[in-house]
Amino acid sequence: RFRGEGYQEGYAEGSHVGVVEGRRYGSLHGAKMGSEIGYYLGFALTWQCLLQKCTDGKNSKKLRALNSLIGMIQKFPYEDPTYEKLQEDMEKIRGKFKQVCSMLNVQTDFTNGTERSSLTF
């Protein structure tokens, strides 16, 4: 009887701790992914505005790549954590971002918030 009660209490406590830890882990990694996607979208929208002002023929290919990146980001399922292709789609977005950076001759320097440099004067 005591072993059964101990098992039930341990199972309930473990389930509670697992839910808390899972929620914390999901929040942390969800925030990192949201930050990364937000960076890519801001980058793409800024360059899109800059390139639309120039009417060179060279910029049409760059604009198509930027529009493709923006479209991929807009179609990304932010609200669905059970989406099966989440990592696959994220890798495609990262690849497209690298391609755009290469076309624009810009360094890909995205860093997470935990890797911030300190201010110096």
Side-chain angles (χ1 to χ4, degrees):
R1 185 183 107 202
F2 291 117
R3 188 177 79 188
E5 289 175 7
Y7 173 81
Q8 292 298 326
E9 289 175 16
Y11 185 83
E13 178 67 23
S15 294
H16 175 70
V17 170
V19 167
V20 170
E21 187 176 324
R23 184 173 291 132
R24 188 174 351 149
Y25 181 83
S27 295
L28 175 68
H29 289 283
K32 286 181 182 179
M33 187 174 284
S35 176
E36 184 177 357
I37 288 178
Y39 175 83
Y40 296 155
L41 183 60
F43 174 90
L45 291 173
T46 301
W47 273 100
Q48 184 184 43
C49 288
L50 291 172
L51 291 177
Q52 284 179 344
K53 293 179 181 178
C54 301
T55 56
D56 297 4
K58 299 176 185 178
N59 291 335
S60 64
K61 189 173 182 179
K62 295 173 186 176
L63 279 170
R64 279 197 309 271
L66 283 166
N67 288 332
S68 175
L69 176 61
I70 292 168
M72 291 169 74
I73 292 170
Q74 289 174 341
K75 291 177 187 174
F76 191 78
Y78 305 104
E79 304 288 324
D80 186 10
T82 61
Y83 179 62
E84 292 178 10
K85 295 183 178 181
L86 187 83
Q87 293 297 325
E88 184 181 321
D89 286 355
M90 193 64 196
E91 288 300 320
K92 288 179 183 177
I93 290 172
R94 288 180 184 129
K96 182 59 82 170
F97 174 72
K98 289 178 183 177
Q99 177 190 14
V100 167
C101 286
S102 175
M103 293 172 80
L104 295 170
N105 199 21
V106 174
Q107 292 292 320
T108 59
D109 62 351
F110 174 76
T111 56
N112 278 336
T114 58
E115 301 171 7
R116 292 184 181 142
S117 62
S118 60
L119 292 175
T120 58
F121 295 97

